[in-house]
Amino acid sequence: MNFIPKYFTNKAIILFFALQIAVGILYLSKLMPLRWYILGNIEVIGFFYFSHTLTKKWTQFSAKRFITKLFVYALIIRIIYVFFTYFFYTSMTGIPFEFETGDALGYHNEAVWLKDLTLNGQFVSKYLPYVNGNYSDTGYPFYLSIIYMLIDNSILIARIVKAILSAYTCVFIYKIAKNNFGEATGKIAGIIALLFPSFIYYCGIHVKETEMIFLVTLFIERADFYLSVSTLNFKTLMWILLLGISLFFFRTILGISAFFTLFTVLIFSANKWVQSSKKILVGFWIVLSLGLFLGGGMQNEISKYWEARGTNQAQSLKARSEIAQGNKLAKYGTGIVFAPFMLVAPFPTMINIETQQNQMMIHGAYYVKNVLGFFVFIALFFFYKEKIIKKHLILIAFLLVYLGILTLSKFAISERFHMPIYPVLICLAAFGVSRLNLKNSKGYTLYLVILALVIVGWNWFKIAGRE
């Protein structure tokens, strides 16, 4: 199958309407503001209608023409959304930042401060002591400060840059899927990324997810490309390593996932250069890793993640259950509870919760991800059936290690922390679409029924925990 059939997209749209009605009737006193229903329907209908239409129309395009259209369409959609949200947030909150902004405004203020320090020659004397060796979250403010030096603190232009990076991300996802599964599947993946509501949403807010996903996708694309051909050499390996290192400055577990993935693929790679130089590569990787991780603050950061793996989740969820306007049932969440849902979660908030305007705004985006989970499961089934896991090890290794760490963390059901794995899930979903047949398509209806029950249950959980 080289396109997404209407059978799947129509059923997804119909179920979304049915869920909105059912949840609205069940929890009539908790109806969302009309604007969130409108935006949710735009997210869902826009994604599923055009994912069918474009995957059917664009299959005949040459690779060059497809990439051009993919980038241009992605950029136009994202720039329109950036302008819309800039003025929408300003009218709703008084500032061009999302509802109950926290990290976004913090990043903006830090970037402005860092820019001023740099221009005044105080970067070393003031910023480095402020960081004090904790580099995990410094990459984005530093990047943003450079942009602010060029555009005089313009929030709007900074978000247009996000739109450009997100459009390139769509191209990289196409290339990853193409390199792994062929041209037709690559085009499906590229179009899913083009229309994926969560990618579009994060272009309109001042957090690091768009840039982080860009780096993750570039890392996977370059590593996957060079490890699948015979042109890998020391220079290209260094570029891959530098991309992996850059992820530590955005999120520690991303850097860990990238290096674990690279190490795993190097060990099992069929690349001739890797085979003939395996011992050198492994030794180089170990030396580099020791130098990077044990040399200072980064090692402390990793140690904190490891030492807190058994307590941070329980403590955080317990705290959430006890705070004002928190969910008293949150304390029952554990890695065992979250694990079965990690490929599908998070689930849409379809009821009115005053402190969760952002979640209501993108409830349609969550639903899109939930539905794509079906195609991911199909892909993983065929990976096992056709015994091709080793062939696509870079995708599987990154997926397993990142989701494994995330499952045991306090951010297990936070979409922001799921975002870096979305490029891999999109590639797998596209592969799942390509393997659709009459037999496995029958499971789609059952999957949607189970998904509907989970979503209704999730919204009950959000209400019950607050009563």
Side-chain angles (χ1 to χ4, degrees):
M1 188 72 66
N2 60 1
F3 67 94
I4 303 177
K6 190 179 289 187
Y7 168 84
F8 296 94
T9 58
N10 283 355
K11 279 197 170 186
I13 293 172
I14 292 170
L15 177 62
F16 185 69
F17 286 148
L19 278 169
Q20 286 185 323
I21 294 170
V23 172
I25 293 173
L26 287 171
Y27 312 115
L28 194 59
S29 63
K30 291 288 186 178
L31 289 175
M32 295 187 296
L34 179 61
R35 59 180 175 269
W36 304 143
Y37 287 106
I38 293 173
L39 281 176
N41 281 285
I42 291 173
E43 291 157 11
V44 171
I45 296 172
F47 177 84
F48 286 110
Y49 175 81
F50 287 105
S51 64
H52 163 72
T53 304
L54 295 183
T55 54
K56 203 167 187 180
K57 286 184 177 180
W58 288 12
T59 52
Q60 73 274 18
F61 293 160
S62 66
K64 184 177 180 180
R65 186 182 178 193
F66 177 83
I67 290 174
T68 300
K69 291 184 76 70
L70 179 65
F71 178 81
V72 170
Y73 274 61
L75 184 59
I76 291 172
I77 291 171
R78 284 153 176 76
I79 288 179
I80 291 173
Y81 183 78
V82 162
F83 275 92
F84 163 72
T85 51
Y86 183 88
F87 295 106
F88 174 73
Y89 287 140
T90 302
S91 67
M92 295 297 293
T93 68
I95 55 176
F97 291 89
E98 74 278 11
F99 301 90
E100 298 182 3
T101 185
D103 287 350
L105 188 57
Y107 286 135
H108 167 72
N109 290 333
E110 185 174 343
V112 171
W113 175 60
L114 181 54
K115 182 206 77 170
D116 292 339
L117 289 180
T118 303
L119 293 178
N120 293 326
Q122 298 175 312
F123 177 84
V124 174
S125 62
K126 289 192 175 181
Y127 188 70
L128 292 185
Y130 164 77
V131 172
N132 194 29
N134 297 314
Y135 299 108
S136 177
D137 205 28
T138 59
Y140 181 64
F142 182 76
Y143 150 85
L144 199 56
S145 71
I146 294 174
I147 293 181
Y148 282 175
M149 289 182 199
L150 302 174
I151 58 175
D152 194 26
N153 300 351
S154 173
I155 295 170
L156 185 60
I157 299 299
R159 291 180 186 169
I160 290 175
V161 175
K162 288 178 180 287
I164 296 170
L165 294 178
S166 185
Y168 273 115
T169 297
C170 296
V171 175
F172 293 142
I173 289 174
Y174 154 75
K175 290 183 176 181
I176 293 169
K178 176 185 175 181
N179 193 46
N180 278 271
F181 309 117
E183 179 71 29
T185 303
K187 288 178 179 177
I188 295 172
I191 291 169
I192 291 175
L194 157 69
L195 301 169
F196 198 58
S198 293
F199 284 174
I200 299 169
Y201 170 78
Y202 280 95
C203 291
I205 57 178
H206 242 54
V207 290
K208 60 186 176 182
E209 271 58 36
T210 296
E211 291 77 7
M212 197 161 52
I213 294 167
F214 172 80
L215 289 173
V216 167
T217 313
L218 181 58
F219 167 80
I220 294 175
E221 192 277 328
R222 288 291 82 190
D224 187 43
F225 175 77
Y226 283 116
L227 289 170
S228 64
V229 297
S230 59
T231 56
L232 180 67
N233 53 44
F234 183 78
K235 182 179 178 181
T236 53
L237 180 61
M238 282 301 300
W239 277 111
I240 295 169
L241 290 173
L242 288 174
L243 283 170
I245 290 171
S246 72
L247 296 174
F248 281 99
F249 295 93
F250 283 80
R251 187 170 293 157
T252 304
I253 63 170
L254 267 184
I256 296 171
S257 301
F259 269 79
F260 178 87
T261 299
L262 184 58
F263 178 64
T264 303
V265 176
L266 286 173
I267 291 297
F268 294 100
S269 175
N271 185 289
K272 293 180 180 179
W273 188 81
V274 175
Q275 290 295 315
S276 62
S277 311
K278 184 177 290 186
K279 291 182 179 179
I280 297 174
L281 283 170
V282 173
F284 179 79
W285 185 89
I286 293 173
V287 171
L288 180 65
S289 299
L290 289 173
L292 177 67
F293 301 155
L294 304 181
M298 201 67 76
Q299 184 247 355
N300 295 329
E301 192 75 26
I302 294 169
S303 296
K304 289 177 184 177
Y305 269 86
W306 177 252
E307 291 168 1
R309 70 193 186 282
T311 58
N312 67 355
Q313 185 179 74
Q315 291 174 351
S316 175
L317 293 173
K318 185 175 185 295
R320 291 186 204 179
S321 71
E322 296 172 350
I323 62 173
Q325 297 182 324
N327 191 317
K328 64 184 180 182
L329 300 179
K331 61 185 177 182
Y332 298 112
T334 65
I336 295 175
V337 173
F338 296 141
F341 302 104
M342 293 303 286
L343 292 175
V344 182
F347 299 102
T349 297
M350 304 178 81
I351 53 173
N352 185 28
I353 298 178
E354 291 296 331
T355 57
Q356 296 188 0
Q357 298 294 319
N358 298 311
Q359 287 89 330
M360 289 188 284
M361 181 176 178
I362 59 169
H363 73 280
Y366 286 15
Y367 176 78
V368 166
K369 198 254 182 168
N370 300 156
V371 174
L372 286 179
F374 172 78
F375 304 106
V376 174
F377 287 126
I378 293 291
L380 295 176
F381 170 76
F382 277 97
F383 270 32
Y384 173 77
K385 181 181 178 181
E386 298 177 2
K387 295 180 173 57
I388 56 174
I389 293 176
K390 186 175 178 180
K391 186 178 179 181
H392 308 292
L393 193 57
I394 193 166
L395 300 179
I396 295 300
F398 191 82
L399 177 74
L400 291 179
V401 68
Y402 185 81
L403 286 185
I405 297 172
L406 189 60
T407 300
L408 299 175
S409 78
K410 60 185 178 181
F411 307 109
I413 53 174
S414 169
E415 195 204 27
R416 282 184 61 186
F417 282 79
H418 278 256
M419 288 292 291
I421 206 64
Y422 282 2
V424 172
L425 293 179
I426 287 172
C427 291
L428 295 179
F431 177 67
V433 171
S434 74
R435 286 294 189 270
L436 288 174
N437 55 44
L438 186 61
K439 184 177 180 180
N440 58 42
S441 295
K442 292 179 180 178
Y444 184 62
T445 300
L446 177 61
Y447 177 84
L448 291 184
V449 170
I450 295 173
L451 176 61
L453 293 174
V454 171
I455 290 174
V456 172
W458 171 251
N459 283 273
W460 168 85
F461 168 83
K462 302 202 83 168
I463 291 176
R466 289 174 168 80
E467 291 180 345

Short mmCIF file of all heavy atoms in Angstrom, two decimals, residues 16-49:
data_model
loop_
_atom_site.label_atom_id
_atom_site.label_comp_id
_atom_site.label_asym_id
_atom_site.label_seq_id
_atom_site.Cartn_x
_atom_site.Cartn_y
_atom_site.Cartn_z
N PHE A 16 -13.81 10.42 16.11
CA PHE A 16 -13.50 11.65 16.85
C PHE A 16 -14.77 12.44 17.12
O PHE A 16 -14.97 12.93 18.24
CB PHE A 16 -12.51 12.50 16.06
CG PHE A 16 -12.04 13.71 16.79
CD1 PHE A 16 -11.21 13.60 17.89
CD2 PHE A 16 -12.43 14.99 16.39
CE1 PHE A 16 -10.77 14.72 18.58
CE2 PHE A 16 -12.00 16.12 17.07
CZ PHE A 16 -11.17 15.99 18.16
N PHE A 17 -15.64 12.57 16.10
CA PHE A 17 -16.93 13.24 16.31
C PHE A 17 -17.72 12.53 17.40
O PHE A 17 -18.30 13.16 18.30
CB PHE A 17 -17.75 13.25 15.02
CG PHE A 17 -17.27 14.23 13.99
CD1 PHE A 17 -17.39 13.95 12.64
CD2 PHE A 17 -16.69 15.43 14.36
CE1 PHE A 17 -16.95 14.85 11.68
CE2 PHE A 17 -16.24 16.34 13.41
CZ PHE A 17 -16.37 16.04 12.06
N ALA A 18 -17.77 11.19 17.31
CA ALA A 18 -18.55 10.41 18.26
C ALA A 18 -18.01 10.58 19.68
O ALA A 18 -18.79 10.68 20.64
CB ALA A 18 -18.51 8.93 17.86
N LEU A 19 -16.69 10.64 19.82
CA LEU A 19 -16.08 10.83 21.14
C LEU A 19 -16.41 12.20 21.72
O LEU A 19 -16.70 12.33 22.91
CB LEU A 19 -14.57 10.64 21.05
CG LEU A 19 -14.06 9.20 21.07
CD1 LEU A 19 -12.58 9.15 20.71
CD2 LEU A 19 -14.29 8.57 22.45
N GLN A 20 -16.36 13.22 20.89
CA GLN A 20 -16.69 14.56 21.37
C GLN A 20 -18.13 14.61 21.88
O GLN A 20 -18.41 15.20 22.92
CB GLN A 20 -16.49 15.59 20.26
CG GLN A 20 -15.03 15.91 19.96
CD GLN A 20 -14.88 17.01 18.94
OE1 GLN A 20 -15.66 17.10 17.99
NE2 GLN A 20 -13.89 17.85 19.12
N ILE A 21 -19.04 13.96 21.14
CA ILE A 21 -20.45 13.93 21.55
C ILE A 21 -20.62 13.10 22.82
O ILE A 21 -21.28 13.52 23.77
CB ILE A 21 -21.32 13.36 20.41
CG1 ILE A 21 -21.30 14.32 19.21
CG2 ILE A 21 -22.75 13.14 20.89
CD1 ILE A 21 -21.93 13.75 17.95
N ALA A 22 -20.01 11.90 22.83
CA ALA A 22 -20.17 11.00 23.98
C ALA A 22 -19.61 11.61 25.26
O ALA A 22 -20.27 11.59 26.32
CB ALA A 22 -19.48 9.66 23.68
N VAL A 23 -18.40 12.14 25.18
CA VAL A 23 -17.79 12.76 26.36
C VAL A 23 -18.59 13.98 26.79
O VAL A 23 -18.78 14.23 27.99
CB VAL A 23 -16.31 13.13 26.08
CG1 VAL A 23 -15.73 13.94 27.23
CG2 VAL A 23 -15.48 11.87 25.85
N GLY A 24 -19.09 14.74 25.80
CA GLY A 24 -19.90 15.91 26.12
C GLY A 24 -21.19 15.55 26.85
O GLY A 24 -21.59 16.23 27.80
N ILE A 25 -21.82 14.45 26.43
CA ILE A 25 -23.06 14.01 27.08
C ILE A 25 -22.77 13.45 28.47
O ILE A 25 -23.48 13.74 29.44
CB ILE A 25 -23.77 12.95 26.21
CG1 ILE A 25 -24.28 13.59 24.91
CG2 ILE A 25 -24.93 12.30 26.98
CD1 ILE A 25 -24.85 12.61 23.92
N LEU A 26 -21.72 12.64 28.57
CA LEU A 26 -21.38 12.03 29.86
C LEU A 26 -20.99 13.06 30.90
O LEU A 26 -21.30 12.92 32.09
CB LEU A 26 -20.23 11.03 29.67
CG LEU A 26 -20.58 9.71 28.98
CD1 LEU A 26 -19.31 8.93 28.66
CD2 LEU A 26 -21.51 8.87 29.85
N TYR A 27 -20.30 14.12 30.45
CA TYR A 27 -19.81 15.14 31.37
C TYR A 27 -20.30 16.51 30.91
O TYR A 27 -19.51 17.40 30.59
CB TYR A 27 -18.28 15.09 31.44
CG TYR A 27 -17.75 13.69 31.63
CD1 TYR A 27 -16.98 13.06 30.65
CD2 TYR A 27 -18.01 12.98 32.80
CE1 TYR A 27 -16.50 11.77 30.83
CE2 TYR A 27 -17.54 11.69 32.99
CZ TYR A 27 -16.78 11.09 32.00
OH TYR A 27 -16.32 9.82 32.18
N LEU A 28 -21.62 16.65 30.89
CA LEU A 28 -22.26 17.85 30.33
C LEU A 28 -21.82 19.13 31.02
O LEU A 28 -21.70 20.18 30.39
CB LEU A 28 -23.78 17.69 30.42
CG LEU A 28 -24.62 18.67 29.59
CD1 LEU A 28 -24.28 18.55 28.11
CD2 LEU A 28 -26.11 18.40 29.82
N SER A 29 -21.56 19.04 32.30
CA SER A 29 -21.15 20.24 33.04
C SER A 29 -19.69 20.62 32.79
O SER A 29 -19.23 21.65 33.26
CB SER A 29 -21.35 20.01 34.55
OG SER A 29 -20.51 18.95 35.01
N LYS A 30 -18.99 19.77 32.04
CA LYS A 30 -17.57 19.99 31.78
C LYS A 30 -17.29 20.21 30.29
O LYS A 30 -16.20 19.88 29.82
CB LYS A 30 -16.75 18.79 32.28
CG LYS A 30 -16.73 18.65 33.79
CD LYS A 30 -15.87 19.72 34.44
CE LYS A 30 -15.72 19.49 35.92
NZ LYS A 30 -14.84 20.52 36.54
N LEU A 31 -18.23 20.77 29.57
CA LEU A 31 -18.01 21.03 28.16
C LEU A 31 -16.87 22.04 27.97
O LEU A 31 -16.78 23.03 28.69
CB LEU A 31 -19.28 21.59 27.51
CG LEU A 31 -20.44 20.61 27.31
CD1 LEU A 31 -21.66 21.35 26.77
CD2 LEU A 31 -20.06 19.49 26.36
N MET A 32 -16.02 21.77 26.98
CA MET A 32 -14.93 22.70 26.69
C MET A 32 -15.47 23.96 26.01
O MET A 32 -16.55 23.94 25.41
CB MET A 32 -13.92 22.03 25.73
CG MET A 32 -13.19 20.85 26.29
SD MET A 32 -11.88 20.26 25.17
CE MET A 32 -12.85 19.72 23.75
N PRO A 33 -14.73 25.06 26.08
CA PRO A 33 -15.09 26.24 25.30
C PRO A 33 -15.15 25.90 23.82
O PRO A 33 -14.39 25.05 23.33
CB PRO A 33 -13.95 27.22 25.60
CG PRO A 33 -13.42 26.80 26.94
CD PRO A 33 -13.56 25.31 26.96
N LEU A 34 -16.05 26.55 23.09
CA LEU A 34 -16.28 26.23 21.68
C LEU A 34 -15.00 26.30 20.85
O LEU A 34 -14.81 25.50 19.93
CB LEU A 34 -17.33 27.20 21.11
CG LEU A 34 -17.68 27.02 19.62
CD1 LEU A 34 -18.26 25.64 19.35
CD2 LEU A 34 -18.65 28.12 19.17
N ARG A 35 -14.11 27.23 21.18
CA ARG A 35 -12.91 27.40 20.37
C ARG A 35 -12.05 26.14 20.35
O ARG A 35 -11.40 25.84 19.35
CB ARG A 35 -12.07 28.59 20.89
CG ARG A 35 -11.63 28.49 22.33
CD ARG A 35 -10.81 29.70 22.76
NE ARG A 35 -10.49 29.66 24.18
CZ ARG A 35 -11.24 30.22 25.13
NH1 ARG A 35 -12.37 30.83 24.79
NH2 ARG A 35 -10.88 30.15 26.40
N TRP A 36 -12.07 25.37 21.46
CA TRP A 36 -11.24 24.16 21.49
C TRP A 36 -11.87 23.03 20.66
O TRP A 36 -11.16 22.23 20.07
CB TRP A 36 -11.00 23.70 22.92
CG TRP A 36 -10.37 24.74 23.81
CD1 TRP A 36 -10.63 24.97 25.12
CD2 TRP A 36 -9.35 25.69 23.46
NE1 TRP A 36 -9.86 25.99 25.61
CE2 TRP A 36 -9.06 26.46 24.62
CE3 TRP A 36 -8.66 25.99 22.28
CZ2 TRP A 36 -8.11 27.47 24.63
CZ3 TRP A 36 -7.71 27.00 22.30
CH2 TRP A 36 -7.44 27.73 23.46
N TYR A 37 -13.20 23.00 20.60
CA TYR A 37 -13.85 22.03 19.70
C TYR A 37 -13.52 22.34 18.25
O TYR A 37 -13.23 21.44 17.45
CB TYR A 37 -15.36 22.04 19.90
CG TYR A 37 -15.82 21.40 21.19
CD1 TYR A 37 -16.27 22.18 22.26
CD2 TYR A 37 -15.81 20.02 21.34
CE1 TYR A 37 -16.69 21.59 23.45
CE2 TYR A 37 -16.23 19.42 22.53
CZ TYR A 37 -16.67 20.22 23.58
OH TYR A 37 -17.08 19.62 24.75
N ILE A 38 -13.53 23.62 17.93
CA ILE A 38 -13.23 24.04 16.54
C ILE A 38 -11.80 23.67 16.17
O ILE A 38 -11.54 23.06 15.13
CB ILE A 38 -13.47 25.56 16.37
CG1 ILE A 38 -14.96 25.88 16.52
CG2 ILE A 38 -12.95 26.02 15.00
CD1 ILE A 38 -15.26 27.36 16.53
N LEU A 39 -10.85 24.04 17.03
CA LEU A 39 -9.45 23.74 16.74
C LEU A 39 -9.20 22.23 16.71
O LEU A 39 -8.45 21.73 15.86
CB LEU A 39 -8.55 24.39 17.79
CG LEU A 39 -8.27 25.89 17.59
CD1 LEU A 39 -7.45 26.44 18.74
CD2 LEU A 39 -7.57 26.15 16.28
N GLY A 40 -9.83 21.49 17.61
CA GLY A 40 -9.66 20.04 17.62
C GLY A 40 -10.13 19.41 16.33
O GLY A 40 -9.46 18.51 15.78
N ASN A 41 -11.24 19.88 15.80
CA ASN A 41 -11.75 19.34 14.55
C ASN A 41 -10.88 19.72 13.36
O ASN A 41 -10.70 18.93 12.43
CB ASN A 41 -13.20 19.80 14.32
CG ASN A 41 -14.19 18.99 15.13
OD1 ASN A 41 -14.49 17.85 14.80
ND2 ASN A 41 -14.70 19.57 16.21
N ILE A 42 -10.33 20.91 13.39
CA ILE A 42 -9.39 21.31 12.33
C ILE A 42 -8.17 20.40 12.34
O ILE A 42 -7.69 19.95 11.29
CB ILE A 42 -8.97 22.80 12.50
CG1 ILE A 42 -10.15 23.71 12.21
CG2 ILE A 42 -7.79 23.13 11.58
CD1 ILE A 42 -9.89 25.18 12.51
N GLU A 43 -7.65 20.12 13.54
CA GLU A 43 -6.48 19.25 13.67
C GLU A 43 -6.75 17.85 13.13
O GLU A 43 -5.94 17.29 12.38
CB GLU A 43 -6.07 19.17 15.15
CG GLU A 43 -5.51 20.46 15.72
CD GLU A 43 -5.63 20.55 17.24
OE1 GLU A 43 -5.96 19.55 17.88
OE2 GLU A 43 -5.38 21.66 17.78
N VAL A 44 -7.89 17.29 13.51
CA VAL A 44 -8.20 15.91 13.13
C VAL A 44 -8.63 15.80 11.66
O VAL A 44 -8.09 14.98 10.91
CB VAL A 44 -9.29 15.32 14.06
CG1 VAL A 44 -9.78 13.97 13.55
CG2 VAL A 44 -8.73 15.18 15.48
N ILE A 45 -9.58 16.62 11.26
CA ILE A 45 -10.06 16.55 9.87
C ILE A 45 -8.95 16.94 8.91
O ILE A 45 -8.74 16.29 7.87
CB ILE A 45 -11.29 17.46 9.66
CG1 ILE A 45 -12.46 16.97 10.53
CG2 ILE A 45 -11.71 17.47 8.19
CD1 ILE A 45 -13.66 17.90 10.54
N GLY A 46 -8.21 18.00 9.25
CA GLY A 46 -7.12 18.44 8.39
C GLY A 46 -6.08 17.34 8.20
O GLY A 46 -5.62 17.09 7.08
N PHE A 47 -5.73 16.66 9.30
CA PHE A 47 -4.72 15.61 9.19
C PHE A 47 -5.23 14.43 8.38
O PHE A 47 -4.59 14.00 7.41
CB PHE A 47 -4.27 15.12 10.56
CG PHE A 47 -3.29 13.98 10.49
CD1 PHE A 47 -1.95 14.24 10.31
CD2 PHE A 47 -3.71 12.66 10.55
CE1 PHE A 47 -1.02 13.19 10.20
CE2 PHE A 47 -2.81 11.61 10.45
CZ PHE A 47 -1.47 11.88 10.27
N PHE A 48 -6.37 13.87 8.74
CA PHE A 48 -6.81 12.63 8.12
C PHE A 48 -7.30 12.83 6.68
O PHE A 48 -7.04 11.99 5.82
CB PHE A 48 -7.89 11.96 8.97
CG PHE A 48 -7.33 11.32 10.21
CD1 PHE A 48 -7.58 11.86 11.47
CD2 PHE A 48 -6.51 10.21 10.12
CE1 PHE A 48 -7.04 11.28 12.61
CE2 PHE A 48 -5.96 9.62 11.26
CZ PHE A 48 -6.23 10.16 12.50
N TYR A 49 -7.98 13.93 6.42
CA TYR A 49 -8.44 14.17 5.04
C TYR A 49 -7.25 14.34 4.10
O TYR A 49 -7.16 13.69 3.06
CB TYR A 49 -9.34 15.40 4.99
CG TYR A 49 -9.74 15.76 3.57
CD1 TYR A 49 -10.77 15.09 2.93
CD2 TYR A 49 -9.07 16.76 2.86
CE1 TYR A 49 -11.13 15.39 1.62
CE2 TYR A 49 -9.42 17.07 1.55
CZ TYR A 49 -10.44 16.38 0.94
OH TYR A 49 -10.79 16.69 -0.36
#
